[in-house]
Amino acid sequence: MRRSVIGARRIWITLGAILMVAPLLTTLPARVAEAADPDCVESGAQTICTFSYTGASQTWTVPNGVTEAQFDAYGASGGNARYADDGGKGGRATATFSVTSGDQIVVMVGGQGSGIFDDQGQACGDHIPQGGFNGGGNAGGTTCPGAGGGGASDVRIGGTGLSDRVLVAGGGGGAVNIIVYEFGIRYGGAGGGLVGLVGGPNVTEWLSVRGQGGNADCTSGSGQLGIGGDGASNTTHGSGGGGGGYCGGSGGQTAPDGEGTGGGGGSGFGPDGTVFETDVRSGNGQVIVTFDTPDTVAPTTTATYSNGYTPGTWTNQAVTVTLTATDNVGGSGVAATYYGLTNPLCAPASPQGCSVYTGPFTIPSESGAIVLFFSVDAAGNTESLNTVLVSIDQTDPYAAPTISGTEGDNGWYTSAVTVTWNWTDDLSDLDTTRCPATSSSNSDGEASISATCYDQAGNDYEASVPVKIDQTPPAGNPTISGTLGDNGWYVGQVTVTWNWADATSGTNSCPPVTNALAEGQYTITANCSDMAGNTATGSVPIKIDQTPPAFAPTTNGTEGDNFWYTSPVTVTWNWTDPTSGINPTTCPTTTLVTTDGEQEVMEACRDLAGNVAAGRSVVRIDQTPPTVTYSGNAGSYGVDDQIEITCTASDATSGIASTTCQNITGPAASFELGTHTFSATATDNAGHTSSATTTFTIGLDYDSLAALTCQMVNQQTWCSTLSYYLASAEWAEGRHVGTLQQHYLNLYATMVTSLRNRGLSAQDAQTLLNLVQILQPPVTRGR
C-alpha cells in the first residue's frame, strides 16, 4: 500500500522555527527495550505463542510432541519525522516449518526506527535518530535529521547468524524531515514482502536519490544482508534510514534542491509457499508461532455410584459402579478402561491382570470391596491407578437402654429423665455423630423417650422407653370467702378454699378449705401432695379486722366551776385501731363545740377495714353570766305608797349557784325620806358573777301624809279631821302664813298624840309625829 498527500509542495519550516525547536531535541530520552516474555495461549487444539519487541534476541524451545509449527513474522515500521504515520510500514512473511522437540529456535523481533518527534518532541536538533533493532539504518542530516529505518523480524533455525534465517519480514524505511504537500508523495519506503518499496518523495526527477528497497539477492537497496543503509548526512533536512530485511533498503540521498529523501524498505525471505505482504505493520515488529498442542496427558477416569454412594463410606444398599473415561481436548482419545475388585494383580503396569470395562458392574451385598481402575489413550498415555473402597452393611444397630432420674411415688419421676442408650453395631460400627449417647426429657407427663441410631452404612434403629415425669408440684387456686370490708380487709370470719389441681399425676393429700377468725394481717398456708410425691405449699395473705376503732375523747377549753366550761370546747377524739388502723379521711381529729348548754357531741370514725365507731362525749358550756334583775321600782314614792320591788337572779344554762338578791317591800313610810339604793349579786354554777342596782326616792307632802294618816287610823272621822288640819297647813304655807301653818300642824300633832294606842298604834303614831315635824315651817323647826 502507498500513502499520498494531495496538494502543492510547500515548505513551512523556517529557520526561526528550527532555532526554537532545536534546543528541546536534546532533552528526549533514548528508546529502551520492552518486556521479553512470549505469551503462549492454548486455543482449542492449538497453542499460539506471541513474541513482542524486546530489543534483544529471544528463544523458543520446541515442546515435546511438536513436529511442525507456523511462523508469522511482522517487520517494524520506520521512524516518523513529521506525522505519526509517515515512516514506512513493516512487511509480513508467513510460513510453516518442520521442527524437532527440544530444539531452540531464535526469534528476532524488529524495533521501530526512532524519529525526531519520537525521541525529542521537536522537529530539529543535533540528535541523530537511530535505526530500529535488527537492521534498521540510522537517519541522516546534521541540523534537522530524518528518521531511522525499522528493523526486520526473522526466525533462525540451527544457529544465531544471518545465514540461519529461514523466514524474514522486512522493516520500513525512515521518513524525510520535510513538510511537503504534493500529490503522490510517500516519505518512508514500506518494508517487504519479497521486495522493499522505494522511499519518498514521489517526484520523478528525484527517483535516483530516493532510498531503494531491498530485494532477494541484495542487488537493490543497501546491498547488505539484514542491514538497511544510513540516510545521507550532508543535507539541511536529513534523509531517512533504510529498513532492515533479508537485504536491507538503502538510506535516502540528497535531492536536487538539497533536501533529503526517505529510506527504502527491507526485503522479505522465506521458502516456497511463504505468504508475503507489504506495508502492514506500524510500530515494533512481532512474531507469532502457532502449533498443534501435543498429547502428553493421560486420560482421566471417574467412577459414579448408584444411590448417591460416596467412596470410602458405608452404605446399606447394593452399589453399582459406572466408569467414565475422558481424554484431554485435542488428545488422542481413550483406547481402553480396566478395572478389578480387590485384585492386587490389576495395575497400569499389568493391565492383563484386570478386567476390561464394558459396562456398569455391581458390588456384592453385605461386604466390602476395593475397586481398582485406570484408562489408556491412543497415544499410550496411561492413567495412574485409582483405588476406591466400597463398604456395604445392611444390618441395623441395637440398644440396651437404662434410665436415670429422681424417682417419686407410684412409678413417677420428679425430675428430668435421662436415658442412656448403650448402642451396639456388629459390622460397620456406629455413626457416632448420629447415635446420641443419651436422651433427656424435661417435659411432664406420660410419654415415650425415643432415639434413632445409624451405623456407618446408614442402617437405623429407633429405640423407645416409656416414662412418667411429674416435676411440677400441685397448684392451688385459692378463693377467699367472707364479709369483705374496705381495702382488702375482711370484717368477719374468712374461709379459704384452696382448689388444688395437678395436671399430670393428680392430687393425693390436699385439705380443701381453711377457716380463719383471728384478727390481724397474716398468711394462711396449707400443704398438698400429688401422686408423684411432689409437695406444694399454698399460701394466701389475709387481713381480718372485726373491731371498730376505739376512742378516748379529751376536752379543752376555759374551765369554770362544777365541770362547766366558760368558752368553746374542743373535743379531741384520740381514735385508735390496733389492727387495720383508722382511715384518716373518715375520722375527724377534733370537734369544736360553741353552743351553750349540756350536750352530747358525737362523731363517727371508720377504720381501714370499714368498721365504724360512734364516738360520744358530753360537754357542758356556759359562756353567759347570770342575770340579776330588779322589777317593780316606781322610782319615786310618797310616804303613803307601798313599795313592791322584786329582785330576780336567773341563769338559763348552768343555773344560779348563789345570790344576794332580795325583794324590797313595805310601806314607804317605813323608809327614811330621801333616796335609797339597793344592790345584789348572783353567781351561776359555771362561776360567772353578775350584779344589779336599783334606786328609788321617798318623798313627803301634805297629800301623802294625809293619805298615810287615813291608812293608819281606823275611823273615818279621825281621818277627815286629821286630813283637814294638814290641808289647812298646806293652805297657810301656800300663803306664807307660817304661824297659821304651824298652828294647824300642831293641832294635827296633838290629835295624833291623843290617838296613840287608841286609834293608832304607838309605832304608827310615832311615824306620823315624825313626819309632821318635817312639815313644820323653818322658823319653828327645832323649837
Side-chain angles (χ1 to χ4, degrees):
M1 297 178 63
R2 298 178 180 273
R3 178 184 297 272
S4 298
V5 179
I6 300 175
R9 176 172 176 255
R10 298 177 182 177
I11 299 176
W12 296 91
I13 302 177
T14 63
L15 180 59
I18 294 173
L19 294 176
M20 288 176 62
V21 176
L24 298 176
L25 296 176
T26 60
T27 64
L28 295 177
R31 179 179 298 277
V32 296
E34 298 181 4
D37 294 336
D39 183 11
C40 295
V41 178
E42 289 189 17
S43 176
Q46 289 187 321
T47 299
I48 300 173
C49 293
T50 301
F51 291 84
S52 299
Y53 169 74
T54 65
S57 64
Q58 302 178 61
T59 302
W60 178 59
T61 301
V62 181
N64 291 335
V66 177
T67 59
E68 186 178 75
Q70 174 184 289
F71 295 86
D72 194 2
Y74 295 87
S77 65
N80 302 316
R82 277 292 177 181
Y83 304 104
D85 58 354
D86 56 1
K89 292 183 180 180
R92 178 182 181 187
T94 303
T96 299
F97 297 94
S98 296
V99 293
T100 302
S101 298
D103 282 356
Q104 291 188 334
I105 296 176
V106 176
V107 176
M108 306 289 284
V109 178
Q112 180 181 6
S114 63
I116 294 299
F117 285 109
D118 289 342
D119 288 350
Q120 302 296 328
Q122 298 183 19
C124 297
D126 57 4
H127 171 71
I128 305 300
Q130 301 296 303
F133 172 73
N134 203 25
N138 296 327
T142 57
T143 303
C144 296
S153 292
D154 64 61
V155 177
R156 305 179 186 188
I157 298 177
T160 60
L162 293 175
S163 61
D164 298 312
R165 294 181 296 176
V166 296
L167 186 69
V168 179
V176 183
N177 190 0
I178 58 174
I179 299 178
V180 179
Y181 292 97
E182 184 174 327
F183 185 80
I185 291 175
R186 181 76 193 196
Y187 295 117
L194 280 175
V195 178
L197 300 185
V198 179
N202 191 14
V203 180
T204 303
E205 60 269 24
W206 290 0
L207 181 61
S208 61
V209 295
R210 291 184 294 169
Q212 303 299 306
N215 59 9
D217 58 4
C218 298
T219 58
S220 177
S222 67
Q224 302 181 66
L225 286 173
I227 300 174
D230 294 337
S233 59
N234 59 348
T235 60
T236 302
H237 292 84
S239 301
Y246 183 77
C247 289
S250 67
Q253 303 302 307
T254 302
D257 61 357
E259 301 290 345
T261 59
S267 64
F269 176 78
D272 291 342
T274 301
V275 178
F276 293 97
E277 294 180 61
T278 302
D279 197 23
V280 296
R281 180 77 178 182
S282 297
N284 295 317
Q286 188 180 62
V287 174
I288 299 174
V289 181
T290 303
F291 55 89
D292 293 335
T293 305
D295 184 5
T296 59
V297 180
T300 300
T301 306
T302 58
T304 57
Y305 309 89
S306 61
N307 303 314
Y309 175 71
T310 301
T313 64
W314 285 87
T315 182
N316 57 9
Q317 301 179 15
V319 176
T320 297
V321 182
T322 300
L323 300 178
T324 303
T326 58
D327 201 16
N328 59 300
V329 177
S332 58
V334 177
T337 299
Y338 301 91
Y339 78 96
L341 297 178
T342 320
N343 180 6
L345 299 179
C346 179
S350 54
Q352 66 274 9
C354 306
S355 299
V356 177
Y357 178 77
T358 59
F361 54 89
T362 301
I363 307 299
S365 301
E366 200 75 3
S367 66
I370 299 175
V371 181
L372 305 99
F373 58 90
F374 60 92
S375 295
V376 179
D377 65 12
N381 297 303
T382 301
E383 182 183 10
S384 299
L385 182 65
N386 296 293
T387 303
V388 175
L389 176 63
V390 177
S391 301
I392 302 174
D393 177 5
Q394 296 181 324
T395 302
D396 296 338
Y398 55 93
T402 59
I403 305 174
S404 60
T406 302
E407 296 185 16
D409 301 334
N410 304 305
W412 289 86
Y413 286 90
T414 59
S415 69
V417 169
T418 299
V419 177
T420 302
W421 295 107
N422 304 309
W423 304 103
T424 304
D425 188 84
D426 295 331
L427 187 56
S428 61
D429 206 354
L430 302 174
D431 181 352
T432 57
T433 63
R434 304 175 70 193
C435 293
T438 61
S439 296
S440 298
S441 177
N442 197 34
S443 301
D444 285 3
E446 296 187 55
S448 293
I449 300 177
S450 300
T452 301
C453 177
Y454 294 82
D455 61 16
Q456 298 287 346
N459 300 298
D460 64 272
Y461 175 74
E462 182 178 6
S464 181
V465 175
V467 295
K468 299 192 299 181
I469 301 175
D470 186 355
Q471 306 173 82
T472 306
N477 184 21
T479 58
I480 304 174
S481 60
T483 303
L484 184 62
D486 300 336
N487 303 302
W489 286 85
Y490 287 87
V491 294
Q493 177 174 299
V494 170
T495 298
V496 178
T497 302
W498 293 103
N499 301 309
W500 299 104
D502 189 273
T504 309
S505 62
T507 59
N508 185 14
S509 176
C510 304
V513 298
T514 301
N515 294 319
L517 185 60
E519 290 193 349
Q521 185 172 350
Y522 51 91
T523 299
I524 297 177
T525 60
N527 295 324
C528 175
S529 298
D530 62 14
M531 298 299 294
N534 297 299
T535 299
T537 299
S539 62
V540 174
I542 62 168
K543 301 187 292 185
I544 299 177
D545 185 354
Q546 307 174 70
T547 304
F551 58 93
T554 59
T555 54
N556 183 38
T558 303
E559 296 183 8
D561 298 336
N562 303 305
F563 306 105
W564 286 87
Y565 286 92
T566 61
S567 68
V569 172
T570 298
V571 179
T572 300
W573 293 102
N574 301 308
W575 305 103
T576 58
D577 190 277
T579 309
S580 63
I582 63 170
N583 185 345
T585 63
T586 64
C587 297
T589 303
T590 61
T591 302
L592 179 63
V593 183
T594 60
T595 305
D596 282 5
E598 181 174 337
Q599 52 203 304
E600 186 176 56
V601 182
M602 299 183 66
E603 294 285 358
C605 176
R606 192 181 188 95
D607 63 16
L608 290 173
N611 299 298
V612 179
R616 304 165 64 89
S617 179
V618 176
V619 177
R620 300 196 299 175
I621 299 175
D622 186 354
Q623 304 176 79
T624 306
T627 301
V628 179
T629 305
Y630 285 94
S631 59
N633 186 355
S636 296
Y637 294 92
V639 292
D640 60 331
D641 291 328
Q642 184 67 28
I643 296 176
E644 295 290 343
I645 298 175
T646 302
C647 181
T648 304
S650 63
D651 189 90
T653 307
S654 62
I656 298 298
S658 63
T659 183
T660 59
C661 187
Q662 292 182 345
N663 294 334
I664 305 171
T665 62
S670 65
F671 294 89
E672 293 183 0
L673 295 177
T675 299
H676 296 272
T677 298
F678 289 86
S679 295
T681 62
T683 300
D684 62 16
N685 283 306
H688 297 294
T689 298
S690 297
S691 299
T693 301
T694 188
T695 300
F696 58 90
T697 302
I698 305 295
L700 178 63
D701 59 18
Y702 292 99
D703 290 336
S704 63
L705 182 58
L708 177 62
T709 301
C710 290
Q711 293 172 7
M712 291 182 174
V713 296
N714 55 12
Q715 289 186 18
Q716 183 62 38
T717 303
W718 297 342
C719 171
S720 297
T721 302
L722 292 173
S723 295
Y724 170 78
Y725 294 152
L726 291 175
S728 296
E730 181 180 11
W731 178 85
E733 182 179 352
R735 285 158 177 76
H736 303 290
V737 181
T739 56
L740 184 58
Q741 175 187 0
Q742 181 177 11
H743 171 73
Y744 285 113
L745 290 177
N746 288 338
L747 290 176
Y748 174 84
T750 300
M751 185 175 181
V752 167
T753 300
S754 66
L755 290 176
R756 184 188 307 267
N757 294 322
R758 287 193 302 126
L760 289 172
S761 67
Q763 182 178 355
D764 289 344
Q766 186 60 47
T767 297
L768 294 176
L769 292 173
N770 292 335
L771 291 174
V772 75
Q773 182 65 30
I774 295 171
L775 293 176
Q776 290 291 333
V779 293
T780 61
R781 291 178 183 172
R783 290 184 180 181

